[in-house]
Amino acid sequence: MAALTICEALLLALNDAQILPEKEIMGVLKDAAATHENAVGSEADVVKHRAAAALIRRIIAGGNSVRRP
């Protein structure tokens, strides 16, 4: 969770500095979620990956990463 928080902050900074547009950032987040959703490994590893994917999807749905008021 801490790593995702740091990544979200970095994505906000990249958007604020007009280095990456919202569309690209949303693509990064969606790709990251998909990668975690499709991860393979032990049952414990898969559970951790699915939890990471769920957090990323919540970031996307909440609009906090880029689309802020």
Side-chain angles (χ1 to χ4, degrees):
M1 188 184 300
L4 288 175
T5 301
I6 292 167
C7 289
E8 184 179 12
L10 290 171
L11 290 173
L12 279 170
L14 289 170
N15 186 255
D16 288 348
Q18 298 179 353
I19 294 170
L20 281 178
E22 178 183 339
K23 179 181 174 183
E24 294 293 326
I25 293 170
M26 296 306 293
V28 167
L29 290 170
K30 289 176 183 177
D31 287 349
T35 298
H36 283 289
E37 289 167 345
N38 295 315
V40 295
S42 70
E43 186 175 337
D45 288 340
V46 170
V47 167
K48 290 177 186 175
H49 282 288
R50 297 262 163 83
L55 284 172
I56 295 168
R57 295 283 180 201
R58 284 176 40 200
I59 289 169
I60 293 168
N64 295 331
S65 61
V66 180
R67 297 166 308 208
R68 324 174 260 189

